[in-house]
């Protein structure tokens, strides 16, 4: 059974940093691209970042470029999103997802999210 579990959410002040993690199991982790998506209250889900299966390619939404960094540790079946210079508008539930390639919207497998709240 494919499982993705996001963790690391919490309350952080604007300008601060937070790292969220995504632990994967039930599939060959290094065969899959892993993406982060987020959904803010009252808004549609949006893609935040994605990393290819090998880690050689990364993608970022314009709104987070230069502030967020995605990485993966295939030996630990874990992917990370380091978020710096956080803004109140980054407040959202963050979800990780997996698919053969990075996709802007729908990916095959989804985990439960973790809430990141940025206070002003």
């Amino acid at each position: 059974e494919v499982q993705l579990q996001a963790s690391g959410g919490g309350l952080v002040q604007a300008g601060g940093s937070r790292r969220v993690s995504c632990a994967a199991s039930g599939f060959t982790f290094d065969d899959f691209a892993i993406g982060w998506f987020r959904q803010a209250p009252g808004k549609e889900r949006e893609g935040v970042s994605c990393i290819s299966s090998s880690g050689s390619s990364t993608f970022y939404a314009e709104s987070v470029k230069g502030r967020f960094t995605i990485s993966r540790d295939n030996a630990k079946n874990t992917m990370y999103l380091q978020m710096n210079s956080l803004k109140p508008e980054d407040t959202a539930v963050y979800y990780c997802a997996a698919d053969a390639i990075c996709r802007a919207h729908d990916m095959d497998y989804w985990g439960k999210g973790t809430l990141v709240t940025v206070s002003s």
Side-chain angles (χ1 to χ4, degrees), residues 32-35 49-53 55 57-59 70-72 79 102:
F32 284 77
I34 308 291
S49 183
C50 192
I51 187 166
S52 64
S53 58
S57 298
T58 56
F59 306 91
I70 193 171
S71 62
R72 64 189 295 160
M79 184 262 285
C102 287

Side-chain angles (χ1 to χ4, degrees), residues 36-119:
W36 283 102
F37 295 76
R38 67 186 181 186
Q39 188 165 21
K43 295 188 177 181
E44 292 187 355
R45 186 178 65 201
E46 64 173 346
V48 175
S49 183
C50 192
I51 187 166
S52 64
S53 58
S54 67
S56 60
S57 298
T58 56
F59 306 91
Y60 296 94
E62 285 297 324
S63 59
V64 306
K65 275 184 181 178
R67 300 188 298 121
F68 289 12
T69 302
I70 193 171
S71 62
R72 64 189 295 160
D73 185 338
N74 286 350
K76 295 182 178 180
N77 286 8
T78 302
M79 184 262 285
Y80 307 97
L81 185 68
Q82 177 67 42
M83 304 182 290
N84 298 328
S85 302
L86 283 161
K87 305 175 182 180
E89 51 263 43
D90 294 318
T91 295
V93 177
Y94 284 73
Y95 300 89
C96 55
D99 204 330
I101 60 173
C102 287
R103 301 186 191 279
H105 301 288
D106 293 323
M107 295 182 76
D108 276 349
Y109 305 107
W110 292 83
K112 294 182 179 179
T114 186
L115 175 63
V116 175
T117 303
V118 184
S119 63

